[in-house]
Amino acid sequence: MDFGVVLQTDPPARDVVRLMKEAEDRGFGYGWTFDSCVLWQEPFVIYSQILAATSSMIVGPMVTSPGTRDWSVMASLFATLNDMFGNRTVCGIGRGDSAHRVIGKPPSTLATLRDSMHVIKELAEGRSVLLRETPVQIPWVRNGRLEMWMAGYGPKALKMVGEHADGFILQCADPAIARWTVGSVREAARAAGRDPAGITICVAAPAYVGEDVAHQREQLRWFGGMVGNHVADLVARYGDSGPVPHELTDYIREREGYDYAHHGRAGNPSTDFVPDEIVDRFCLTGPASAHIERLQELAELGVDQFAVYLMHDERERTLAAYEDIIGKLAA
């Protein structure tokens, strides 16, 4: 199993770069950031610094969206970084949540997301593609490579991942939800004539290693609120008795609203509705042995990467603890 680390691009950017460098030194192969450039700093500027400070780490957004930049601009950003640092980027992408909502835009449609993945990948890898009915090609790209990893929860999104994406990002470490989503992606891939094993599976969730589980829960409760934003859209679409597992839908019944000013942050006041049980299932808490047990369970379900959200008060200590965890899992 590969390991990634997920950060917000809070100023100062040098701290983001420092933590990414430390993560690589401790065995993490992927460096991800949020991409919501009103709430945080512009990530693509910082990626250049991360790539310069590391030697092999693969860097990208978790996740960007089709609606915040022109697709040619996004493709050129990735292609430029790859040309400078040797194909060390990956594009995590979804319909758009905070980056869209804080500027008054709804999430993109799945059709728009599908088209954007195709256009961005083709341009970043140097091929000609139709963009708004105009043939476009980036002429200076040589041997470019950009994988598109799509995030999603609902049945239609999972089907699209299986049909079109290079990788799948599940922002939740609940094994029951992972079993359903990964199975749905693989079934869609087989139906589309693709090799299901060719789709990289990435589970992303907060992890906090230690003995004070009550404190850990309070630090990580924000994650249930973040996932709840997407689940609320699914319930609006499918109802709470639709095809989405009750493990995802039941807990949002007490959800009343969400303030994006606290998005992805410990102590988020909009997440009081998230019960301890959801924190324990969606995140990794407790001593290192509990983390190893959950990671082994996820690996058995076919998860290729676990990406650690580091939005809590013990970031460096967690990175150090995961250096040992990574070593034990590799032994």
mmCIF file with all atom_site columns, all heavy atoms in Angstrom, residues 13-27:
data_model
loop_
_atom_site.group_PDB
_atom_site.id
_atom_site.type_symbol
_atom_site.label_atom_id
_atom_site.label_alt_id
_atom_site.label_comp_id
_atom_site.label_asym_id
_atom_site.label_entity_id
_atom_site.label_seq_id
_atom_site.pdbx_PDB_ins_code
_atom_site.Cartn_x
_atom_site.Cartn_y
_atom_site.Cartn_z
_atom_site.occupancy
_atom_site.B_iso_or_equiv
_atom_site.pdbx_formal_charge
_atom_site.auth_seq_id
_atom_site.auth_comp_id
_atom_site.auth_asym_id
_atom_site.auth_atom_id
_atom_site.pdbx_PDB_model_num
ATOM 1   N N   . ALA A 1 13 ? 3.040  29.377 3.218  1.00 0.00 ? 13 ALA A N   1
ATOM 2   C CA  . ALA A 1 13 ? 3.225  28.239 2.334  1.00 0.00 ? 13 ALA A CA  1
ATOM 3   C C   . ALA A 1 13 ? 4.464  27.428 2.689  1.00 0.00 ? 13 ALA A C   1
ATOM 4   O O   . ALA A 1 13 ? 4.511  26.219 2.439  1.00 0.00 ? 13 ALA A O   1
ATOM 5   C CB  . ALA A 1 13 ? 3.305  28.718 0.886  1.00 0.00 ? 13 ALA A CB  1
ATOM 6   N N   . ARG A 1 14 ? 5.462  28.072 3.279  1.00 0.00 ? 14 ARG A N   1
ATOM 7   C CA  . ARG A 1 14 ? 6.689  27.330 3.613  1.00 0.00 ? 14 ARG A CA  1
ATOM 8   C C   . ARG A 1 14 ? 6.413  26.201 4.603  1.00 0.00 ? 14 ARG A C   1
ATOM 9   O O   . ARG A 1 14 ? 7.126  25.185 4.612  1.00 0.00 ? 14 ARG A O   1
ATOM 10  C CB  . ARG A 1 14 ? 7.751  28.277 4.157  1.00 0.00 ? 14 ARG A CB  1
ATOM 11  C CG  . ARG A 1 14 ? 7.391  28.981 5.463  1.00 0.00 ? 14 ARG A CG  1
ATOM 12  C CD  . ARG A 1 14 ? 8.530  29.864 5.959  1.00 0.00 ? 14 ARG A CD  1
ATOM 13  N NE  . ARG A 1 14 ? 8.140  30.630 7.132  1.00 0.00 ? 14 ARG A NE  1
ATOM 14  C CZ  . ARG A 1 14 ? 7.549  31.827 7.076  1.00 0.00 ? 14 ARG A CZ  1
ATOM 15  N NH1 . ARG A 1 14 ? 7.302  32.388 5.905  1.00 0.00 ? 14 ARG A NH1 1
ATOM 16  N NH2 . ARG A 1 14 ? 7.222  32.461 8.197  1.00 0.00 ? 14 ARG A NH2 1
ATOM 17  N N   . ASP A 1 15 ? 5.391  26.347 5.445  1.00 0.00 ? 15 ASP A N   1
ATOM 18  C CA  . ASP A 1 15 ? 5.052  25.267 6.372  1.00 0.00 ? 15 ASP A CA  1
ATOM 19  C C   . ASP A 1 15 ? 4.456  24.075 5.626  1.00 0.00 ? 15 ASP A C   1
ATOM 20  O O   . ASP A 1 15 ? 4.684  22.915 5.998  1.00 0.00 ? 15 ASP A O   1
ATOM 21  C CB  . ASP A 1 15 ? 4.071  25.757 7.432  1.00 0.00 ? 15 ASP A CB  1
ATOM 22  C CG  . ASP A 1 15 ? 4.748  26.571 8.525  1.00 0.00 ? 15 ASP A CG  1
ATOM 23  O OD1 . ASP A 1 15 ? 6.001  26.603 8.546  1.00 0.00 ? 15 ASP A OD1 1
ATOM 24  O OD2 . ASP A 1 15 ? 4.036  27.172 9.347  1.00 0.00 ? 15 ASP A OD2 1
ATOM 25  N N   . VAL A 1 16 ? 3.671  24.346 4.590  1.00 0.00 ? 16 VAL A N   1
ATOM 26  C CA  . VAL A 1 16 ? 3.134  23.270 3.765  1.00 0.00 ? 16 VAL A CA  1
ATOM 27  C C   . VAL A 1 16 ? 4.281  22.518 3.095  1.00 0.00 ? 16 VAL A C   1
ATOM 28  O O   . VAL A 1 16 ? 4.323  21.275 3.091  1.00 0.00 ? 16 VAL A O   1
ATOM 29  C CB  . VAL A 1 16 ? 2.160  23.826 2.712  1.00 0.00 ? 16 VAL A CB  1
ATOM 30  C CG1 . VAL A 1 16 ? 1.604  22.699 1.834  1.00 0.00 ? 16 VAL A CG1 1
ATOM 31  C CG2 . VAL A 1 16 ? 1.014  24.590 3.375  1.00 0.00 ? 16 VAL A CG2 1
ATOM 32  N N   . VAL A 1 17 ? 5.217  23.251 2.538  1.00 0.00 ? 17 VAL A N   1
ATOM 33  C CA  . VAL A 1 17 ? 6.375  22.638 1.875  1.00 0.00 ? 17 VAL A CA  1
ATOM 34  C C   . VAL A 1 17 ? 7.193  21.834 2.884  1.00 0.00 ? 17 VAL A C   1
ATOM 35  O O   . VAL A 1 17 ? 7.611  20.696 2.610  1.00 0.00 ? 17 VAL A O   1
ATOM 36  C CB  . VAL A 1 17 ? 7.240  23.713 1.196  1.00 0.00 ? 17 VAL A CB  1
ATOM 37  C CG1 . VAL A 1 17 ? 8.487  23.086 0.571  1.00 0.00 ? 17 VAL A CG1 1
ATOM 38  C CG2 . VAL A 1 17 ? 6.436  24.474 0.146  1.00 0.00 ? 17 VAL A CG2 1
ATOM 39  N N   . ARG A 1 18 ? 7.403  22.397 4.061  1.00 0.00 ? 18 ARG A N   1
ATOM 40  C CA  . ARG A 1 18 ? 8.182  21.698 5.096  1.00 0.00 ? 18 ARG A CA  1
ATOM 41  C C   . ARG A 1 18 ? 7.532  20.382 5.494  1.00 0.00 ? 18 ARG A C   1
ATOM 42  O O   . ARG A 1 18 ? 8.212  19.338 5.610  1.00 0.00 ? 18 ARG A O   1
ATOM 43  C CB  . ARG A 1 18 ? 8.325  22.604 6.330  1.00 0.00 ? 18 ARG A CB  1
ATOM 44  C CG  . ARG A 1 18 ? 9.024  21.933 7.523  1.00 0.00 ? 18 ARG A CG  1
ATOM 45  C CD  . ARG A 1 18 ? 9.040  22.848 8.733  1.00 0.00 ? 18 ARG A CD  1
ATOM 46  N NE  . ARG A 1 18 ? 7.707  23.246 9.168  1.00 0.00 ? 18 ARG A NE  1
ATOM 47  C CZ  . ARG A 1 18 ? 6.910  22.481 9.915  1.00 0.00 ? 18 ARG A CZ  1
ATOM 48  N NH1 . ARG A 1 18 ? 7.300  21.268 10.287 1.00 0.00 ? 18 ARG A NH1 1
ATOM 49  N NH2 . ARG A 1 18 ? 5.729  22.923 10.293 1.00 0.00 ? 18 ARG A NH2 1
ATOM 50  N N   . LEU A 1 19 ? 6.218  20.379 5.703  1.00 0.00 ? 19 LEU A N   1
ATOM 51  C CA  . LEU A 1 19 ? 5.525  19.160 6.105  1.00 0.00 ? 19 LEU A CA  1
ATOM 52  C C   . LEU A 1 19 ? 5.535  18.120 4.988  1.00 0.00 ? 19 LEU A C   1
ATOM 53  O O   . LEU A 1 19 ? 5.653  16.917 5.253  1.00 0.00 ? 19 LEU A O   1
ATOM 54  C CB  . LEU A 1 19 ? 4.092  19.487 6.521  1.00 0.00 ? 19 LEU A CB  1
ATOM 55  C CG  . LEU A 1 19 ? 3.937  20.096 7.913  1.00 0.00 ? 19 LEU A CG  1
ATOM 56  C CD1 . LEU A 1 19 ? 2.532  20.641 8.091  1.00 0.00 ? 19 LEU A CD1 1
ATOM 57  C CD2 . LEU A 1 19 ? 4.254  19.063 8.987  1.00 0.00 ? 19 LEU A CD2 1
ATOM 58  N N   . MET A 1 20 ? 5.422  18.565 3.754  1.00 0.00 ? 20 MET A N   1
ATOM 59  C CA  . MET A 1 20 ? 5.486  17.619 2.637  1.00 0.00 ? 20 MET A CA  1
ATOM 60  C C   . MET A 1 20 ? 6.869  16.975 2.557  1.00 0.00 ? 20 MET A C   1
ATOM 61  O O   . MET A 1 20 ? 6.992  15.767 2.316  1.00 0.00 ? 20 MET A O   1
ATOM 62  C CB  . MET A 1 20 ? 5.149  18.326 1.323  1.00 0.00 ? 20 MET A CB  1
ATOM 63  C CG  . MET A 1 20 ? 3.687  18.726 1.179  1.00 0.00 ? 20 MET A CG  1
ATOM 64  S SD  . MET A 1 20 ? 2.585  17.287 1.089  1.00 0.00 ? 20 MET A SD  1
ATOM 65  C CE  . MET A 1 20 ? 1.055  18.109 0.585  1.00 0.00 ? 20 MET A CE  1
ATOM 66  N N   . LYS A 1 21 ? 7.909  17.776 2.757  1.00 0.00 ? 21 LYS A N   1
ATOM 67  C CA  . LYS A 1 21 ? 9.262  17.226 2.747  1.00 0.00 ? 21 LYS A CA  1
ATOM 68  C C   . LYS A 1 21 ? 9.436  16.225 3.881  1.00 0.00 ? 21 LYS A C   1
ATOM 69  O O   . LYS A 1 21 ? 10.020 15.144 3.692  1.00 0.00 ? 21 LYS A O   1
ATOM 70  C CB  . LYS A 1 21 ? 10.282 18.361 2.881  1.00 0.00 ? 21 LYS A CB  1
ATOM 71  C CG  . LYS A 1 21 ? 11.739 17.903 2.964  1.00 0.00 ? 21 LYS A CG  1
ATOM 72  C CD  . LYS A 1 21 ? 12.197 17.259 1.664  1.00 0.00 ? 21 LYS A CD  1
ATOM 73  C CE  . LYS A 1 21 ? 13.711 17.045 1.617  1.00 0.00 ? 21 LYS A CE  1
ATOM 74  N NZ  . LYS A 1 21 ? 14.196 16.094 2.646  1.00 0.00 ? 21 LYS A NZ  1
ATOM 75  N N   . GLU A 1 22 ? 8.942  16.560 5.051  1.00 0.00 ? 22 GLU A N   1
ATOM 76  C CA  . GLU A 1 22 ? 9.027  15.628 6.175  1.00 0.00 ? 22 GLU A CA  1
ATOM 77  C C   . GLU A 1 22 ? 8.260  14.349 5.871  1.00 0.00 ? 22 GLU A C   1
ATOM 78  O O   . GLU A 1 22 ? 8.717  13.238 6.181  1.00 0.00 ? 22 GLU A O   1
ATOM 79  C CB  . GLU A 1 22 ? 8.491  16.268 7.453  1.00 0.00 ? 22 GLU A CB  1
ATOM 80  C CG  . GLU A 1 22 ? 8.568  15.338 8.655  1.00 0.00 ? 22 GLU A CG  1
ATOM 81  C CD  . GLU A 1 22 ? 8.080  15.967 9.949  1.00 0.00 ? 22 GLU A CD  1
ATOM 82  O OE1 . GLU A 1 22 ? 7.875  17.199 9.979  1.00 0.00 ? 22 GLU A OE1 1
ATOM 83  O OE2 . GLU A 1 22 ? 7.908  15.216 10.929 1.00 0.00 ? 22 GLU A OE2 1
ATOM 84  N N   . ALA A 1 23 ? 7.087  14.486 5.248  1.00 0.00 ? 23 ALA A N   1
ATOM 85  C CA  . ALA A 1 23 ? 6.289  13.307 4.902  1.00 0.00 ? 23 ALA A CA  1
ATOM 86  C C   . ALA A 1 23 ? 7.057  12.393 3.952  1.00 0.00 ? 23 ALA A C   1
ATOM 87  O O   . ALA A 1 23 ? 7.088  11.165 4.137  1.00 0.00 ? 23 ALA A O   1
ATOM 88  C CB  . ALA A 1 23 ? 4.961  13.733 4.282  1.00 0.00 ? 23 ALA A CB  1
ATOM 89  N N   . GLU A 1 24 ? 7.690  12.968 2.930  1.00 0.00 ? 24 GLU A N   1
ATOM 90  C CA  . GLU A 1 24 ? 8.470  12.125 2.018  1.00 0.00 ? 24 GLU A CA  1
ATOM 91  C C   . GLU A 1 24 ? 9.601  11.426 2.769  1.00 0.00 ? 24 GLU A C   1
ATOM 92  O O   . GLU A 1 24 ? 9.846  10.228 2.559  1.00 0.00 ? 24 GLU A O   1
ATOM 93  C CB  . GLU A 1 24 ? 9.041  12.949 0.869  1.00 0.00 ? 24 GLU A CB  1
ATOM 94  C CG  . GLU A 1 24 ? 9.795  12.072 -0.131 1.00 0.00 ? 24 GLU A CG  1
ATOM 95  C CD  . GLU A 1 24 ? 10.434 12.863 -1.262 1.00 0.00 ? 24 GLU A CD  1
ATOM 96  O OE1 . GLU A 1 24 ? 11.285 13.723 -0.978 1.00 0.00 ? 24 GLU A OE1 1
ATOM 97  O OE2 . GLU A 1 24 ? 10.077 12.612 -2.425 1.00 0.00 ? 24 GLU A OE2 1
ATOM 98  N N   . ASP A 1 25 ? 10.272 12.137 3.644  1.00 0.00 ? 25 ASP A N   1
ATOM 99  C CA  . ASP A 1 25 ? 11.369 11.543 4.406  1.00 0.00 ? 25 ASP A CA  1
ATOM 100 C C   . ASP A 1 25 ? 10.879 10.393 5.280  1.00 0.00 ? 25 ASP A C   1
ATOM 101 O O   . ASP A 1 25 ? 11.661 9.478  5.609  1.00 0.00 ? 25 ASP A O   1
ATOM 102 C CB  . ASP A 1 25 ? 12.042 12.599 5.280  1.00 0.00 ? 25 ASP A CB  1
ATOM 103 C CG  . ASP A 1 25 ? 12.803 13.637 4.472  1.00 0.00 ? 25 ASP A CG  1
ATOM 104 O OD1 . ASP A 1 25 ? 13.085 13.380 3.285  1.00 0.00 ? 25 ASP A OD1 1
ATOM 105 O OD2 . ASP A 1 25 ? 13.105 14.714 5.032  1.00 0.00 ? 25 ASP A OD2 1
ATOM 106 N N   . ARG A 1 26 ? 9.612  10.406 5.659  1.00 0.00 ? 26 ARG A N   1
ATOM 107 C CA  . ARG A 1 26 ? 9.060  9.369  6.532  1.00 0.00 ? 26 ARG A CA  1
ATOM 108 C C   . ARG A 1 26 ? 8.324  8.269  5.760  1.00 0.00 ? 26 ARG A C   1
ATOM 109 O O   . ARG A 1 26 ? 7.653  7.434  6.360  1.00 0.00 ? 26 ARG A O   1
ATOM 110 C CB  . ARG A 1 26 ? 8.140  10.003 7.575  1.00 0.00 ? 26 ARG A CB  1
ATOM 111 C CG  . ARG A 1 26 ? 8.886  10.904 8.571  1.00 0.00 ? 26 ARG A CG  1
ATOM 112 C CD  . ARG A 1 26 ? 8.013  11.317 9.725  1.00 0.00 ? 26 ARG A CD  1
ATOM 113 N NE  . ARG A 1 26 ? 8.694  12.182 10.674 1.00 0.00 ? 26 ARG A NE  1
ATOM 114 C CZ  . ARG A 1 26 ? 9.510  11.762 11.637 1.00 0.00 ? 26 ARG A CZ  1
ATOM 115 N NH1 . ARG A 1 26 ? 9.766  10.461 11.768 1.00 0.00 ? 26 ARG A NH1 1
ATOM 116 N NH2 . ARG A 1 26 ? 10.069 12.612 12.477 1.00 0.00 ? 26 ARG A NH2 1
ATOM 117 N N   . GLY A 1 27 ? 8.418  8.276  4.429  1.00 0.00 ? 27 GLY A N   1
ATOM 118 C CA  . GLY A 1 27 ? 7.888  7.163  3.660  1.00 0.00 ? 27 GLY A CA  1
ATOM 119 C C   . GLY A 1 27 ? 6.612  7.427  2.894  1.00 0.00 ? 27 GLY A C   1
ATOM 120 O O   . GLY A 1 27 ? 6.059  6.499  2.281  1.00 0.00 ? 27 GLY A O   1
#
